[in-house]
Coordinates of all heavy atoms in Angstrom, one line a residue:
M1 N 33.1 -7.9 62.5 CA 33.4 -9.0 61.7 C 34.9 -9.1 61.4 O 35.6 -8.1 61.2 CB 32.6 -8.8 60.4 CG 32.7 -10.0 59.4 SD 31.6 -9.7 58.0 CE 31.7 -11.3 57.3
N2 N 35.4 -10.3 61.4 CA 36.8 -10.5 61.1 C 37.2 -10.4 59.7 O 36.5 -10.9 58.8 CB 37.3 -11.9 61.7 CG 37.1 -12.0 63.2 OD1 37.2 -11.0 63.8 ND2 37.0 -13.2 63.6
D3 N 38.3 -9.8 59.4 CA 38.8 -9.7 58.0 C 39.6 -10.9 57.6 O 40.4 -11.4 58.4 CB 39.7 -8.4 57.8 CG 38.9 -7.1 57.7 OD1 37.7 -7.2 57.2 OD2 39.4 -6.1 58.2
I4 N 39.5 -11.3 56.4 CA 40.3 -12.5 55.9 C 41.8 -12.2 56.0 O 42.6 -13.1 56.2 CB 39.9 -12.9 54.5 CG1 40.4 -14.2 54.1 CG2 40.3 -11.8 53.5 CD1 39.6 -15.4 54.7
Q5 N 42.2 -10.9 55.9 CA 43.6 -10.5 56.0 C 44.2 -10.9 57.4 O 45.4 -11.0 57.5 CB 43.8 -9.0 55.7 CG 43.5 -8.6 54.3 CD 42.0 -8.3 54.1 OE1 41.2 -8.5 55.0 NE2 41.7 -7.8 52.9
N6 N 43.3 -11.0 58.4 CA 43.8 -11.4 59.7 C 44.1 -12.9 59.9 O 44.4 -13.3 61.0 CB 42.8 -10.9 60.8 CG 42.7 -9.4 60.8 OD1 43.7 -8.7 60.5 ND2 41.6 -8.8 61.2
T7 N 43.8 -13.7 58.9 CA 44.0 -15.1 59.0 C 45.4 -15.5 59.2 O 46.3 -15.1 58.4 CB 43.4 -15.8 57.8 OG1 42.0 -15.5 57.7 CG2 43.6 -17.3 57.9
K8 N 45.7 -16.3 60.2 CA 47.1 -16.8 60.5 C 47.2 -18.2 60.1 O 48.3 -18.7 59.9 CB 47.4 -16.5 61.9 CG 47.4 -15.0 62.3 CD 47.4 -14.8 63.8 CE 47.4 -13.3 64.1 NZ 46.2 -12.6 63.8
L9 N 46.1 -19.0 60.1 CA 46.1 -20.4 59.9 C 44.8 -20.8 59.5 O 43.8 -20.3 59.9 CB 46.5 -21.1 61.2 CG 46.6 -22.7 61.2 CD1 47.7 -23.2 60.3 CD2 46.8 -23.2 62.6
T10 N 44.7 -21.8 58.6 CA 43.4 -22.4 58.2 C 43.4 -23.9 58.4 O 44.4 -24.5 58.5 CB 43.1 -22.1 56.7 OG1 44.1 -22.7 55.9 CG2 42.9 -20.6 56.4
A11 N 42.2 -24.4 58.5 CA 42.0 -25.9 58.6 C 40.7 -26.3 57.8 O 39.8 -25.5 57.8 CB 41.8 -26.3 60.1
E12 N 40.8 -27.4 57.2 CA 39.6 -27.9 56.4 C 39.0 -29.1 57.2 O 39.7 -30.0 57.7 CB 40.0 -28.4 55.1 CG 38.9 -28.8 54.2 CD 39.2 -29.2 52.8 OE1 40.4 -29.0 52.4 OE2 38.4 -29.7 52.1
L13 N 37.7 -29.0 57.5 CA 37.0 -29.9 58.3 C 36.0 -30.7 57.5 O 35.5 -30.2 56.5 CB 36.3 -29.2 59.4 CG 37.2 -28.2 60.2 CD1 36.4 -27.4 61.2 CD2 38.4 -28.9 60.8
A14 N 35.6 -31.9 57.9 CA 34.7 -32.8 57.2 C 33.4 -33.0 57.8 O 32.6 -33.8 57.3 CB 35.4 -34.1 56.9
S15 N 33.1 -32.4 59.0 CA 31.8 -32.6 59.6 C 31.4 -31.4 60.4 O 32.2 -30.6 60.8 CB 31.9 -33.9 60.5 OG 32.6 -33.6 61.7
S16 N 30.1 -31.3 60.6 CA 29.6 -30.2 61.4 C 30.0 -30.4 62.9 O 30.2 -29.4 63.6 CB 28.1 -30.1 61.3 OG 27.5 -31.3 61.7
G17 N 30.2 -31.6 63.3 CA 30.7 -31.8 64.7 C 32.1 -31.2 64.9 O 32.4 -30.5 65.9
E18 N 33.0 -31.5 63.9 CA 34.3 -30.9 64.0 C 34.2 -29.3 63.9 O 34.9 -28.6 64.6 CB 35.2 -31.3 62.8 CG 35.7 -32.7 62.9 CD 36.5 -33.1 61.6 OE1 35.9 -33.1 60.5 OE2 37.7 -33.2 61.8
L19 N 33.4 -28.8 63.0 CA 33.2 -27.4 62.8 C 32.8 -26.8 64.2 O 33.4 -25.8 64.6 CB 32.1 -27.1 61.8 CG 31.7 -25.7 61.6 CD1 32.9 -24.8 61.2 CD2 30.6 -25.6 60.6
N20 N 31.8 -27.3 64.8 CA 31.3 -26.8 66.1 C 32.4 -26.7 67.2 O 32.5 -25.7 67.9 CB 30.1 -27.5 66.6 CG 28.9 -27.2 65.8 OD1 28.8 -26.2 65.2 ND2 28.0 -28.2 65.7
K21 N 33.3 -27.7 67.2 CA 34.4 -27.7 68.1 C 35.4 -26.6 67.8 O 35.9 -26.0 68.8 CB 35.1 -29.1 68.2 CG 34.2 -30.2 68.8 CD 34.9 -31.5 68.9 CE 34.0 -32.5 69.6 NZ 34.7 -33.8 69.7
Y22 N 35.7 -26.5 66.6 CA 36.6 -25.4 66.2 C 36.0 -24.0 66.5 O 36.7 -23.1 67.1 CB 37.0 -25.5 64.7 CG 38.2 -26.3 64.5 CD1 38.1 -27.7 64.4 CD2 39.5 -25.8 64.3 CE1 39.2 -28.5 64.1 CE2 40.6 -26.6 64.0 CZ 40.4 -27.9 63.9 OH 41.5 -28.7 63.7
L23 N 34.8 -23.8 66.2 CA 34.1 -22.5 66.4 C 34.1 -22.2 67.9 O 34.3 -21.1 68.3 CB 32.7 -22.5 65.8 CG 32.6 -22.6 64.3 CD1 31.1 -22.7 63.9 CD2 33.3 -21.5 63.7
S24 N 33.9 -23.2 68.8 CA 33.9 -23.0 70.2 C 35.2 -22.6 70.8 O 35.3 -22.0 71.8 CB 33.3 -24.2 70.9 OG 34.2 -25.3 70.9
E25 N 36.3 -22.9 70.0 CA 37.6 -22.5 70.4 C 38.1 -21.2 69.9 O 39.2 -20.7 70.2 CB 38.7 -23.6 70.0 CG 38.5 -25.0 70.6 CD 38.8 -25.0 72.1 OE1 39.4 -24.0 72.6 OE2 38.6 -26.0 72.8
G26 N 37.2 -20.5 69.1 CA 37.5 -19.2 68.6 C 37.8 -19.1 67.1 O 38.2 -18.0 66.7
W27 N 37.8 -20.2 66.4 CA 38.0 -20.2 65.0 C 36.8 -19.5 64.3 O 35.7 -19.5 64.8 CB 38.2 -21.6 64.4 CG 39.5 -22.2 64.9 CD1 39.7 -22.7 66.2 CD2 40.6 -22.5 64.2 NE1 41.0 -23.2 66.3 CE2 41.6 -23.1 65.0 CE3 41.0 -22.3 62.9 CZ2 42.8 -23.5 64.6 CZ3 42.2 -22.7 62.4 CH2 43.1 -23.3 63.3
T28 N 37.0 -19.0 63.0 CA 36.0 -18.4 62.2 C 35.8 -19.2 61.0 O 36.7 -19.6 60.3 CB 36.5 -17.0 61.8 OG1 36.7 -16.2 63.0 CG2 35.4 -16.2 61.0
L29 N 34.5 -19.4 60.7 CA 34.1 -20.1 59.4 C 34.3 -19.2 58.3 O 33.8 -18.1 58.2 CB 32.7 -20.6 59.5 CG 32.2 -21.3 58.2 CD1 32.9 -22.6 57.9 CD2 30.7 -21.6 58.3
I30 N 35.1 -19.6 57.3 CA 35.4 -18.7 56.1 C 34.8 -19.3 54.8 O 34.7 -18.5 53.8 CB 36.8 -18.3 56.0 CG1 37.8 -19.5 55.8 CG2 37.3 -17.4 57.1 CD1 39.2 -19.1 55.5
L31 N 34.6 -20.6 54.8 CA 34.1 -21.2 53.5 C 33.4 -22.5 53.9 O 33.9 -23.3 54.7 CB 35.3 -21.5 52.6 CG 35.0 -22.2 51.3 CD1 34.1 -21.3 50.4 CD2 36.3 -22.5 50.6
A32 N 32.3 -22.8 53.2 CA 31.6 -24.1 53.3 C 31.3 -24.5 51.9 O 30.8 -23.7 51.1 CB 30.3 -23.9 54.1
Y33 N 31.5 -25.7 51.6 CA 31.2 -26.3 50.2 C 31.0 -27.8 50.3 O 31.2 -28.4 51.3 CB 32.4 -25.9 49.2 CG 33.7 -26.7 49.5 CD1 34.0 -27.8 48.8 CD2 34.6 -26.1 50.4 CE1 35.2 -28.5 49.1 CE2 35.8 -26.8 50.6 CZ 36.1 -27.9 50.0 OH 37.3 -28.6 50.2
V34 N 30.5 -28.3 49.2 CA 30.2 -29.7 49.1 C 31.2 -30.4 48.1 O 31.3 -29.9 47.0 CB 28.8 -30.0 48.7 CG1 28.5 -31.5 48.5 CG2 27.8 -29.4 49.7
K35 N 31.9 -31.4 48.6 CA 32.8 -32.1 47.7 C 32.1 -33.3 47.1 O 31.5 -34.1 47.8 CB 34.0 -32.6 48.5 CG 35.1 -33.3 47.7 CD 36.2 -33.7 48.6 CE 37.3 -34.3 47.8 NZ 38.5 -34.6 48.6
H36 N 32.1 -33.4 45.8 CA 31.5 -34.5 45.1 C 32.5 -35.5 44.7 O 33.5 -35.2 44.1 CB 30.8 -33.9 43.8 CG 29.7 -32.9 44.1 ND1 28.4 -33.2 44.4 CD2 29.8 -31.6 44.1 CE1 27.8 -32.1 44.6 NE2 28.6 -31.1 44.5
A37 N 32.2 -36.8 45.0 CA 33.1 -37.9 44.7 C 32.3 -39.2 44.6 O 31.6 -39.5 45.6 CB 34.2 -38.0 45.7
N38 N 32.5 -39.9 43.5 CA 31.8 -41.2 43.4 C 30.4 -41.2 43.7 O 29.9 -42.0 44.6 CB 32.6 -42.3 44.2 CG 34.0 -42.4 43.8 OD1 34.4 -42.2 42.7 ND2 34.9 -42.7 44.8
D39 N 29.6 -40.3 43.2 CA 28.2 -40.2 43.4 C 27.8 -39.9 44.8 O 26.7 -40.3 45.3 CB 27.4 -41.5 42.9 CG 27.6 -41.7 41.4 OD1 27.6 -40.7 40.7 OD2 27.6 -42.8 41.0
S40 N 28.7 -39.3 45.6 CA 28.4 -39.0 46.9 C 28.7 -37.5 47.1 O 29.5 -36.9 46.4 CB 29.2 -39.8 48.0 OG 30.5 -39.5 47.9
Q41 N 28.1 -36.9 48.1 CA 28.4 -35.5 48.5 C 28.9 -35.5 49.9 O 28.2 -36.0 50.8 CB 27.2 -34.7 48.3 CG 26.6 -34.7 46.9 CD 25.4 -33.8 46.8 OE1 24.9 -33.3 47.7 NE2 24.8 -33.7 45.6
R42 N 30.0 -34.8 50.1 CA 30.5 -34.7 51.5 C 30.7 -33.2 51.8 O 31.4 -32.5 51.0 CB 31.9 -35.4 51.6 CG 31.7 -36.9 51.5 CD 33.0 -37.6 51.7 NE 33.3 -38.2 50.4 CZ 34.6 -38.5 50.0 NH1 35.6 -38.2 50.7 NH2 34.8 -39.0 48.8
P43 N 30.2 -32.7 53.0 CA 30.4 -31.3 53.3 C 31.9 -31.1 53.7 O 32.6 -31.9 54.2 CB 29.5 -31.2 54.5 CG 29.5 -32.5 55.2 CD 29.5 -33.5 54.0
R44 N 32.3 -29.9 53.4 CA 33.7 -29.4 53.8 C 33.5 -28.0 54.4 O 32.7 -27.2 53.8 CB 34.6 -29.4 52.6 CG 35.0 -30.8 52.1 CD 35.9 -31.5 53.1 NE 36.4 -32.7 52.5 CZ 35.9 -33.9 52.8 NH1 34.9 -34.0 53.6 NH2 36.5 -35.0 52.3
F45 N 34.3 -27.7 55.4 CA 34.2 -26.4 56.0 C 35.7 -26.0 56.2 O 36.5 -26.7 56.6 CB 33.6 -26.5 57.4 CG 32.2 -27.1 57.4 CD1 32.0 -28.5 57.7 CD2 31.1 -26.4 57.1 CE1 30.8 -29.1 57.7 CE2 29.8 -27.0 57.0 CZ 29.7 -28.3 57.3
V46 N 35.9 -24.7 55.9 CA 37.3 -24.1 56.0 C 37.1 -23.1 57.1 O 36.3 -22.2 57.0 CB 37.8 -23.5 54.7 CG1 39.2 -22.9 55.0 CG2 37.9 -24.6 53.6
V47 N 37.9 -23.3 58.2 CA 37.9 -22.3 59.3 C 39.3 -21.6 59.4 O 40.3 -22.1 58.9 CB 37.6 -23.0 60.6 CG1 36.2 -23.5 60.7 CG2 38.6 -24.1 60.9
A48 N 39.3 -20.4 60.0 CA 40.5 -19.6 60.0 C 40.8 -19.2 61.5 O 39.8 -18.9 62.2 CB 40.4 -18.4 59.2
W49 N 42.0 -19.3 61.9 CA 42.5 -18.7 63.2 C 42.9 -17.3 62.9 O 43.8 -17.0 62.2 CB 43.6 -19.5 63.8 CG 44.0 -19.0 65.1 CD1 45.1 -18.2 65.4 CD2 43.3 -19.2 66.3 NE1 45.1 -17.9 66.7 CE2 44.0 -18.5 67.3 CE3 42.1 -19.8 66.7 CZ2 43.5 -18.4 68.6 CZ3 41.7 -19.8 68.0 CH2 42.4 -19.1 69.0
Q50 N 42.2 -16.4 63.5 CA 42.4 -14.9 63.3 C 42.7 -14.2 64.6 O 42.8 -13.0 64.6 CB 41.2 -14.3 62.6 CG 41.0 -14.9 61.3 CD 39.8 -14.3 60.6 OE1 38.8 -13.9 61.2 NE2 39.8 -14.3 59.2
E51 N 42.9 -14.9 65.7 CA 43.2 -14.3 67.0 C 44.6 -14.1 67.2 O 45.5 -14.7 66.5 CB 42.6 -15.2 68.1 CG 41.2 -15.6 68.0 CD 40.2 -14.4 68.1 OE1 40.6 -13.5 68.9 OE2 39.2 -14.3 67.4
D52 N 45.0 -13.2 68.1 CA 46.4 -13.0 68.5 C 46.8 -14.3 69.3 O 46.0 -14.9 70.0 CB 46.6 -11.8 69.3 CG 46.4 -10.5 68.5 OD1 46.6 -10.5 67.2 OD2 45.9 -9.5 69.0
G53 N 48.1 -14.6 69.2 CA 48.6 -15.7 70.0 C 48.4 -17.0 69.2 O 47.9 -17.1 68.1
P54 N 48.9 -18.1 69.8 CA 48.9 -19.4 69.1 C 47.5 -19.9 68.9 O 46.6 -19.7 69.7 CB 49.7 -20.3 70.0 CG 49.7 -19.7 71.3 CD 49.5 -18.2 71.1
A55 N 47.3 -20.7 67.8 CA 46.0 -21.3 67.6 C 45.6 -22.3 68.6 O 46.4 -23.0 69.1 CB 46.0 -22.0 66.2
V56 N 44.3 -22.3 69.0 CA 43.8 -23.2 70.0 C 43.0 -24.3 69.2 O 42.1 -24.0 68.5 CB 42.8 -22.5 71.0 CG1 42.3 -23.5 72.0 CG2 43.6 -21.4 71.7
F57 N 43.5 -25.6 69.3 CA 42.9 -26.7 68.6 C 41.9 -27.4 69.5 O 42.2 -27.6 70.7 CB 43.9 -27.6 68.1 CG 44.8 -27.0 67.0 CD1 46.0 -26.5 67.4 CD2 44.4 -26.9 65.7 CE1 46.8 -25.9 66.4 CE2 45.2 -26.3 64.7 CZ 46.4 -25.8 65.1
P58 N 40.8 -27.9 69.0 CA 39.9 -28.7 69.8 C 40.6 -30.0 70.3 O 41.5 -30.5 69.7 CB 38.8 -29.1 68.9 CG 38.8 -28.1 67.8 CD 40.3 -27.7 67.7
E59 N 40.1 -30.5 71.4 CA 40.8 -31.6 72.1 C 40.7 -33.0 71.3 O 41.5 -33.9 71.6 CB 40.2 -31.8 73.5 CG 40.7 -30.8 74.5 CD 40.3 -31.1 75.9 OE1 40.1 -32.2 76.2 OE2 40.1 -30.1 76.6
F60 N 39.8 -33.1 70.3 CA 39.7 -34.4 69.7 C 40.9 -34.7 68.8 O 41.1 -35.8 68.4 CB 38.4 -34.4 68.8 CG 38.3 -33.5 67.7 CD1 38.9 -33.7 66.5 CD2 37.6 -32.3 67.9 CE1 38.8 -32.8 65.4 CE2 37.5 -31.4 66.8 CZ 38.1 -31.7 65.6
L61 N 41.8 -33.7 68.5 CA 43.0 -34.0 67.8 C 44.0 -34.6 68.7 O 44.2 -34.2 69.9 CB 43.6 -32.7 67.3 CG 42.8 -31.9 66.2 CD1 43.5 -30.6 65.9 CD2 42.6 -32.7 65.0
D62 N 44.7 -35.7 68.3 CA 45.7 -36.3 69.1 C 47.0 -35.5 69.0 O 47.1 -34.6 68.2 CB 45.9 -37.8 68.8 CG 46.4 -38.0 67.3 OD1 47.1 -37.1 66.8 OD2 46.2 -39.1 66.8
E63 N 48.0 -35.9 69.8 CA 49.3 -35.1 69.8 C 49.9 -35.1 68.4 O 50.5 -34.1 68.0 CB 50.2 -35.7 70.8 CG 49.8 -35.4 72.3 CD 50.8 -35.9 73.3 OE1 52.0 -36.1 72.9 OE2 50.4 -36.2 74.4
W64 N 49.9 -36.2 67.7 CA 50.6 -36.2 66.4 C 49.9 -35.2 65.5 O 50.6 -34.5 64.8 CB 50.5 -37.6 65.8 CG 51.2 -37.8 64.5 CD1 52.5 -38.0 64.3 CD2 50.6 -37.6 63.2 NE1 52.8 -38.0 63.0 CE2 51.6 -37.7 62.3 CE3 49.3 -37.3 62.8 CZ2 51.4 -37.6 60.9 CZ3 49.1 -37.1 61.4 CH2 50.2 -37.3 60.5
E65 N 48.6 -35.2 65.4 CA 47.9 -34.2 64.6 C 48.2 -32.8 64.9 O 48.4 -31.9 64.1 CB 46.4 -34.5 64.6 CG 46.0 -35.8 64.0 CD 44.5 -36.1 64.2 OE1 44.1 -36.0 65.4 OE2 43.8 -36.4 63.3
Q66 N 48.3 -32.5 66.2 CA 48.6 -31.1 66.7 C 50.0 -30.7 66.2 O 50.3 -29.6 65.8 CB 48.4 -31.0 68.2 CG 47.0 -31.0 68.6 CD 46.9 -30.9 70.1 OE1 47.8 -30.8 70.9 NE2 45.6 -30.9 70.6
R67 N 51.0 -31.7 66.4 CA 52.4 -31.4 66.0 C 52.4 -31.2 64.4 O 53.1 -30.3 64.0 CB 53.3 -32.5 66.3 CG 53.8 -32.5 67.8 CD 55.0 -33.4 68.0 NE 54.7 -34.8 67.5 CZ 54.2 -35.8 68.2 NH1 53.8 -35.5 69.5 NH2 54.1 -37.0 67.7
D68 N 51.7 -32.0 63.7 CA 51.7 -31.9 62.2 C 51.1 -30.5 61.8 O 51.7 -29.8 61.0 CB 50.8 -33.0 61.6 CG 51.0 -33.0 60.1 OD1 52.1 -33.0 59.6 OD2 49.9 -33.1 59.4
M69 N 50.1 -30.1 62.4 CA 49.5 -28.8 62.1 C 50.4 -27.6 62.5 O 50.6 -26.7 61.8 CB 48.1 -28.6 62.8 CG 47.1 -29.5 62.2 SD 45.5 -29.2 62.9 CE 44.8 -28.1 61.7
A70 N 51.1 -27.8 63.7 CA 52.0 -26.7 64.1 C 53.2 -26.7 63.2 O 53.7 -25.6 62.9 CB 52.5 -27.0 65.5
R71 N 53.6 -27.8 62.6 CA 54.8 -27.8 61.7 C 54.4 -27.1 60.4 O 55.2 -26.4 59.8 CB 55.1 -29.3 61.4 CG 56.4 -29.5 60.7 CD 56.8 -30.9 60.5 NE 56.6 -31.8 61.6 CZ 55.8 -32.8 61.6 NH1 55.1 -33.2 60.6 NH2 55.6 -33.5 62.8
Q72 N 53.2 -27.2 60.0 CA 52.7 -26.5 58.8 C 52.7 -25.0 58.9 O 52.9 -24.3 58.0 CB 51.3 -27.0 58.4 CG 51.3 -28.4 57.9 CD 49.8 -28.8 57.6 OE1 48.9 -28.1 57.5 NE2 49.7 -30.2 57.5
V73 N 52.5 -24.5 60.1 CA 52.5 -23.1 60.4 C 53.8 -22.5 60.3 O 54.0 -21.3 59.8 CB 51.9 -22.8 61.8 CG1 52.1 -21.3 62.2 CG2 50.5 -23.2 61.9
G74 N 54.9 -23.2 60.7 CA 56.1 -22.5 60.5 C 57.2 -23.1 61.2 O 58.3 -22.7 61.4

């Protein structure tokens, strides 16, 4: 089991489809919760990159999103 201390990067996701894509790239699910807003409930998933080397993002992110996430890392 991966330790939370090994987390190098996190991402918050809004659907199980996104979650499955991240998990297939090697990310680890560290938190799942439901966001309540305006009488609706939306799932949220927080995943962590805990592997050595640069994070691998699913292909559904466009280049701008990948650059933005890389900029947040450092």
Side-chain angles (χ1 to χ4, degrees):
M1 185 171 190
N2 294 335
D3 282 330
I4 195 77
Q5 293 88 353
N6 294 332
T7 298
K8 296 165 181 68
L9 178 67
T10 60
E12 184 174 353
L13 313 173
S15 74
S16 58
E18 285 179 295
L19 173 62
N20 288 333
K21 288 181 180 185
Y22 272 81
L23 294 177
S24 71
E25 294 291 351
W27 292 72
T28 301
L29 177 64
I30 58 172
L31 178 66
Y33 67 96
V34 176
K35 183 175 184 178
H36 299 274
N38 301 328
D39 296 327
S40 68
Q41 298 179 359
R42 292 183 247 153
R44 291 291 188 259
F45 306 97
V46 179
V47 293
W49 182 257
Q50 299 178 331
E51 304 295 325
D52 291 331
V56 178
F57 295 97
E59 288 187 24
F60 64 84
L61 297 176
D62 64 25
E63 286 183 25
W64 182 86
E65 291 170 312
Q66 289 179 359
R67 278 195 308 272
D68 188 49
M69 291 183 93
R71 191 175 317 119
Q72 292 176 13
V73 172

